[in-house]
Amino acid sequence: MEFLGKTTIDFVGKRNISFVISAVISIIGIIAIVQMSRGAANMGIDFTGGTSVQLKFDKPFALADARKALHAAGIEAELQEVKEGNKLLVKLPRKNALAVGKAAELVPAAFVKAQPGLQVTVDSTTEIGPSIGEKLRKDTIIAVAISMLGIICYIAWRFDFKFGVGAVVATLHDVLAMFAAYYVTGREFNLLFITAVLTIAGYSLTDTVVIFDRIRENLHKDLKGSLHKIFNNSINETLSRSIITSLTTFLAAISLFVWGGEVIHDFSFALLVGIGVATYSSVFVASPVVLLLEQRAMNKQDAGTGQPVKA
Amino acid sequence: MPKGAGWRIALIAAFIVLSCIYLVPTLTPKLPDWWKGMLPKDKIHLGLDLQGGTHLVLEVETTKAVEGTLDLVATDLEDTLNSKNLRFKRISRTGSDKVAIVMYEKDTAAAVQKLVKEKYRDYEIIPTVEEGGMVGIALRMKEQDIQDRKDKAVAQALETIRNRIDQFGVSEPVIARQGVNQIVVQLPGIKDPQRAIALIGRTARLEFKMVKEGVSPTGGAVPEDSEVLFEKHTDPATGATSETPLVVYKKALITGDLLTDAQVRIDSQFNQPYVGIEFNSLGARLFDQVTAANVGKRFAIVLDSNVYSAPVIRERISGGSAQISGNFTEKTASDLAIVLRAGALPAPVKIIQNVTVGASLGKDSIDKGLMAGAIGVVLVIAFMAIYYKLSGMVANLGMVLNILYLMGAMSALGATLTLPGIAAIVLLVGMSVDSNVIIFERIREELRLGKSPKSALEAGYDKAFLTIMDSHVTALITAAVLFQFGTGPVKGFAVSLSLGIMINLFTSLMGTKVIFDLFLHKGNVKKMSI
């Protein structure tokens, strides 16, 4: 079976359109990051510190009643319903935090008091002190920076510095797109999200490297052809592979999204978005950026020797 | 057989056998006896998110340990000077590294200075200052000793917490030091996390202090040598608590470090649990002296600044045993006995992170994770089989090998499987066929150029080799960074991912190739099923 035969789509020629789309996505991503640092985004307690308790009731419990019950016990919390099975997430920001170690006792007690006879099970509690959140945030930034640096070095060594730039631009684009998607859908930024981002960074690079490899191979074969054509041919030649791989990875990720349970639901959402944008960016962002850089470098060189530019 | 296929098949088979051996303990509930002798018996560790349990990070308040040491020095100095009849106005700890002595006369100051110099060689002595007719000197702990004390405090706290957990009974706890003053405690599968947290976090400094009679605890000022502590009562019927204030002397006559044992006993008269304690010889002697000298007075048993009970001493108690009663339940009594046996923490600890996952959520997560994984695998297998036909099945075989090796390797390395780890494996399923997709697309290109299946296969693998290397190395860089910086579940994810990437390199370049070689080596295959 074959989805595509030989294709001759002018991918790099569409760069003006793709750059506009990518710019919009990236700007939303940057806004998301700015909002995060201002504390205006939905930040998980992994980073801010605070408490979250997930409860399971034996019978449905209205959100309004829950709010009343907590209020009566003097607990100021944010509530979030979990879709399946009478579950409720109670989140206390750091400023309202109870003494660490007490939340799992006090929160269910508040519900039982409001509705005697209610069966409450504590599914999970997470309590994070402020110093830990601080450390996590710092470690995360360091981790992202180091992996980006490592990748630029590797690609610059294996290919050329321009390819390194293209790969990193595409990867950053994907990262921003994931931030944007999370922000727009109001999902919670937490450690699992960061994990998903780094995973997709790796995946996006893999995708990009496969195309770059083909470009390099074709450049060696055809020293005189126009760059524009060589880039397009390379992308077309690897297009089947890009689509098939995205599809298999997507199939795996979607089964996590649908059947993997609430704990990794958002995580698998991030993976799905990431796989999509990673495939797009390796075709429409990484390669055109490298082409632009190559052409600019050639223009400079040719301006020196007075040769006509071929592009 | 094609050249060089023999050792490759042998290697693949050897890895299969090894993986299976390592996986047996995970798959069968009971191992036969002969297995346990030489073969691996560890199951794949499940992360706390999968089996439920508690992950705590504790911070030891190390400055308190230093202050505690200095407080002891102050008490000791007080006793020494009193016994030598050297008069002083005040001895107390000042700041977090000094003990100051204030005396009335210069002569005493000189004598004290001489004594201190001999007795406390490790301390720096700050020379006398005269102030308003008083003379003061101070001892300062050296920076090096302070660091040393702090370091020891953390080590001691670790040991004490380990003792408590051992006695509490948790299978496979992890108790480790992290950074300068943090301790990580992991309690997998624990049923009553609240109780464990209370047990671990309690300083458990036990002190026996005399009650100062004739001073009203509520009437404002208490004398300088005394303090107000509270005795808590819980009404067993209603659960309501009340607090009674009590004035006690600050100085503890006997402390918990003189204990040798603590056990829960049941009062036969009221059927109430209490904690029976045994003193060592020094403790027994002190207890004997104190009770003899104070018959008819009240004696407060204080744990972490809470009064447990304040009975009247009816008679001299010799023999070195005593009891702590209070309104205990069996659980609270047994927890008290545990902390008393394990000893006090050298400094208070603060819980700075607590992640607890209930057992039912853990079970739910593992079920769903495995379910999602299985569905993902089936979807990918079906897709590959339809799209690449027989070759797709070869790729699927490679993928299954990949999962088998990965599970075997995780078991062999004692790695922990977490929920994100399962997600990584599922994702890997999608990515592991990628190498084969790259190769197959190449082969198709070569076939389109009219090459024979055999040479198309060779060219496909050759040309794809560098691409596959490059893509794996870049993926490995990010996975390695995740491993280095990640904590908890993130680390579990990174472990699964990095192992998977390395194994995938092997299965995709060697595992599937050998199968193709076996089929195509005669060179008379006309058509390839791809």
Side-chain angles (χ1 to χ4, degrees):
Chain A
M1 195 169 122
E2 217 172 326
F3 290 147
L4 302 163
K6 209 168 151 49
T7 50
T8 48
I9 305 167
D10 181 14
F11 287 108
V12 289
K14 308 239 172 18
R15 64 176 174 240
N16 286 337
I17 305 170
S18 67
F19 282 175
V20 169
I21 296 173
S22 296
V24 172
I25 295 175
S26 303
I27 288 168
I28 300 176
I30 291 169
I31 292 174
I33 292 175
V34 170
Q35 291 292 81
M36 270 176 77
S37 57
R38 283 181 55 227
N42 185 3
M43 294 288 282
I45 60 165
D46 290 349
F47 295 111
T48 56
T51 305
S52 96
V53 181
Q54 188 177 309
L55 301 170
K56 195 162 81 185
F57 304 110
D58 59 340
K59 46 183 178 262
F61 201 90
L63 214 52
D65 290 342
R67 211 161 270 139
K68 237 184 274 165
L70 284 174
H71 193 75
I75 300 172
E76 284 298 317
E78 210 177 287
L79 298 177
Q80 202 175 311
E81 261 179 310
V82 180
K83 283 181 198 80
E84 37 188 313
N86 301 336
K87 289 183 181 177
L88 183 70
L89 195 64
V90 181
K91 292 202 294 181
L92 288 89
R94 194 168 89 214
K95 56 182 193 301
N96 303 343
L98 308 163
V100 174
K102 285 283 174 217
E105 204 173 316
L106 298 175
V107 174
F111 285 98
V112 175
K113 200 170 175 198
Q115 200 168 313
L118 184 75
Q119 292 282 327
V120 191
T121 334
V122 178
D123 255 355
S124 67
T125 33
T126 312
E127 299 174 85
I128 297 196
S131 55
I132 295 250
E134 191 71 34
K135 186 176 177 304
L136 271 180
R137 215 171 339 175
K138 221 170 75 192
D139 283 359
T140 307
I141 293 170
I142 294 174
V144 174
I146 289 183
S147 54
M148 286 291 139
L149 204 71
I151 279 148
I152 295 195
C153 290
Y154 182 77
I155 293 184
W157 171 61
R158 292 283 297 134
F159 298 86
D160 176 6
F161 185 67
K162 295 186 207 83
F163 283 87
V165 173
V168 167
V169 168
T171 307
L172 281 179
H173 165 270
D174 298 343
V175 169
L176 287 177
M178 289 170 77
F179 272 95
Y182 246 56
Y183 178 64
V184 169
T185 54
R187 275 161 220 268
E188 184 186 286
F189 292 98
N190 54 20
L191 260 191
L192 276 181
F193 169 72
I194 298 298
T195 311
V197 165
L198 285 173
T199 311
I200 289 301
Y203 177 82
S204 164
L205 280 159
T206 308
D207 228 34
T208 308
V209 163
V210 172
I211 298 178
F212 281 2
D213 246 14
R214 188 58 79 102
I215 293 174
R216 182 175 55 180
E217 187 186 323
N218 289 343
L219 279 174
H220 286 305
K221 254 195 258 168
D222 182 5
L223 287 168
K224 298 206 181 66
S226 96
L227 279 180
H228 191 108
K229 209 174 135 218
I230 291 173
F231 271 66
N232 261 338
N233 284 346
S234 307
I235 298 173
N236 276 302
E237 282 164 20
T238 50
L239 189 62
S240 289
R241 177 264 156 197
S242 296
I243 293 173
I244 301 302
T245 298
S246 305
L247 217 73
T248 56
T249 320
F250 206 80
L251 283 177
I254 207 156
S255 66
L256 281 181
F257 181 71
V258 179
W259 292 286
E262 72 211 53
V263 182
I264 48 170
H265 197 260
D266 284 0
F267 174 74
S268 27
F269 170 78
L271 290 181
L272 286 178
V273 172
I275 293 166
V277 290
T279 310
Y280 158 84
S281 76
S282 53
V283 171
F284 286 102
V285 180
S287 308
V289 165
V290 179
L291 181 63
L292 271 184
L293 291 174
E294 288 282 5
Q295 283 173 343
R296 186 165 301 168
M298 277 170 77
N299 278 339
K300 227 179 232 168
Q301 209 178 13
D302 291 337
T305 56
Q307 292 289 311
V309 182
K310 211 193 291 180
Chain B
M1 217 172 352
K3 213 175 80 193
W7 69 268
R8 285 186 289 168
I9 294 172
L11 197 61
I12 291 166
F15 281 141
I16 293 178
V17 172
L18 264 180
S19 303
C20 289
I21 289 175
Y22 274 108
L23 283 174
V24 166
T26 309
L27 298 175
T28 57
K30 252 192 128 151
L31 292 170
D33 282 335
W34 54 266
W35 184 283
K36 289 178 185 159
M38 342 221 329
L39 295 166
K41 47 191 172 294
D42 280 346
K43 294 180 177 194
I44 291 186
H45 293 277
L46 293 183
L48 294 178
D49 54 345
L50 291 181
Q51 58 173 322
T54 294
H55 171 105
L56 298 172
V57 179
L58 310 164
E59 197 167 84
V60 184
E61 295 179 33
T62 47
T63 42
K64 290 265 169 64
V66 177
E67 290 171 6
T69 307
L70 291 171
D71 283 336
L72 282 181
V73 169
T75 317
D76 183 50
L77 262 174
E78 226 173 287
D79 290 345
T80 320
L81 297 194
N82 276 332
S83 68
K84 294 215 152 82
N85 277 327
L86 292 161
R87 287 181 60 234
F88 58 88
K89 180 167 186 271
R90 193 173 63 237
I91 298 181
S92 60
R93 170 177 62 79
T94 55
S96 58
D97 63 343
K98 282 196 284 290
V99 174
I101 311 166
V102 181
M103 287 146 293
Y104 297 103
E105 309 142 342
K106 248 188 181 160
D107 292 349
T108 352
V112 167
Q113 193 166 3
K114 191 159 163 269
L115 183 131
V116 166
K117 234 177 208 159
E118 270 168 27
K119 196 162 177 201
Y120 297 97
R121 288 168 196 282
D122 295 338
Y123 286 75
E124 195 182 320
I125 303 197
I126 301 169
T128 48
V129 280
E130 282 178 58
E131 212 183 272
M134 301 283 175
V135 190
I137 67 168
L139 284 78
R140 182 196 275 147
M141 207 168 175
K142 289 181 187 144
E143 188 54 35
Q144 174 87 41
D145 292 336
I146 290 180
Q147 288 315 324
D148 212 42
R149 180 75 198 94
K150 286 184 173 174
D151 193 56
K152 275 203 190 109
V154 181
Q156 263 174 21
L158 190 82
E159 216 34 63
T160 308
I161 289 171
R162 179 168 295 147
N163 270 330
R164 288 182 188 176
I165 292 169
D166 282 350
Q167 299 191 16
F168 186 63
V170 177
S171 57
E172 296 180 39
V174 176
I175 304 148
R177 197 169 168 166
Q178 173 182 286
V180 183
N181 60 352
Q182 293 180 350
I183 295 174
V184 176
V185 178
Q186 287 189 357
L187 307 171
I190 191 167
K191 295 266 160 24
D192 193 349
Q194 285 312 109
R195 195 175 151 204
I197 291 170
L199 189 75
I200 292 166
R202 205 192 283 183
T203 310
R205 176 190 292 282
L206 180 70
E207 291 161 312
F208 292 83
K209 295 177 172 182
M210 293 309 299
V211 175
K212 190 167 178 105
E213 306 290 355
V215 179
S216 158
T218 46
V222 290
E224 204 180 295
D225 60 350
S226 312
E227 60 188 337
V228 178
L229 296 178
F230 293 89
E231 184 178 0
K232 273 199 189 109
H233 296 276
T234 310
D235 190 312
T238 61
T241 53
S242 59
E243 284 185 336
T244 319
L246 210 61
V247 181
V248 299
Y249 285 96
K250 271 187 189 162
K251 186 169 175 172
L253 295 173
I254 304 168
T255 54
D257 47 332
L258 302 175
L259 293 186
T260 55
D261 195 17
Q263 295 290 340
V264 180
R265 302 221 172 79
I266 305 289
D267 183 327
S268 52
Q269 215 178 335
F270 303 103
N271 205 20
Q272 265 269 339
Y274 68 89
V275 178
I277 52 178
E278 302 286 333
F279 289 106
N280 63 15
S281 56
L282 174 62
R285 203 168 64 233
L286 277 174
F287 201 64
D288 181 65
Q289 283 170 11
V290 168
T291 49
N294 294 293
V295 172
K297 293 182 187 162
R298 287 175 80 197
F299 197 35
I301 301 168
V302 182
L303 187 79
D304 295 340
S305 302
N306 289 311
V307 177
Y308 264 70
S309 56
V312 174
I313 301 172
R314 292 203 195 89
E315 58 190 357
R316 170 179 185 167
I317 304 171
S318 338
S321 48
Q323 64 183 64
I324 303 173
S325 44
N327 39 24
F328 292 123
T329 64
E330 220 150 305
K331 271 185 190 175
T332 52
S334 103
D335 288 354
L336 179 63
I338 289 176
V339 293
L340 290 179
R341 274 202 302 272
L345 291 175
V349 295
K350 207 165 64 188
I351 300 171
I352 53 173
Q353 186 183 0
N354 161 25
V355 180
T356 299
V357 177
S360 63
L361 182 66
K363 175 91 178 58
D364 187 52
S365 291
I366 196 166
D367 288 348
K368 290 205 169 122
L370 292 180
M371 168 86 159
I375 294 173
V377 170
V378 168
L379 285 178
V380 173
I381 284 183
F383 177 82
M384 289 297 283
I386 293 168
Y387 196 80
Y388 290 115
K389 299 186 208 105
L390 270 185
S391 301
M393 287 313 288
V394 175
N396 286 334
L397 208 64
M399 177 184 80
V400 172
L401 265 189
N402 212 332
I403 299 173
L404 177 69
Y405 287 165
L406 178 60
M407 301 307 275
M410 289 191 66
S411 180
L413 295 176
T416 305
L417 185 66
T418 60
L419 187 57
I422 293 181
I425 294 171
V426 175
L427 201 65
L428 215 66
V429 166
M431 285 158 74
S432 78
V433 294
D434 176 48
S435 313
N436 285 115
V437 171
I438 293 175
I439 295 166
F440 292 169
E441 289 299 317
R442 277 289 189 175
I443 294 176
R444 279 183 173 181
E445 279 175 44
E446 302 292 326
L447 287 173
R448 249 182 247 131
L449 294 176
K451 287 198 183 164
S452 75
K454 197 176 175 212
S455 56
L457 181 82
E458 291 301 329
Y461 270 93
D462 270 356
K463 288 185 173 168
F465 177 77
L466 273 182
T467 313
I468 292 172
M469 279 301 277
D470 280 339
S471 62
H472 278 72
V473 171
T474 40
L476 201 57
I477 291 176
T478 49
V481 172
L482 268 182
F483 178 75
Q484 189 60 40
F485 288 91
T487 51
V490 179
K491 203 158 202 145
F493 179 81
V495 170
S496 310
L497 194 63
S498 1
L499 276 176
I501 291 167
M502 286 186 273
I503 290 167
N504 191 33
L505 204 56
F506 172 80
T507 48
S508 61
L509 291 177
M510 200 179 257
T512 55
K513 178 84 188 324
V514 91
I515 300 174
F516 281 115
D517 282 351
L518 284 179
F519 277 109
L520 296 176
H521 79 282
K522 289 216 178 85
N524 53 10
V525 177
K526 291 284 176 298
K527 203 169 173 304
M528 210 174 158
S529 170
I530 192 165

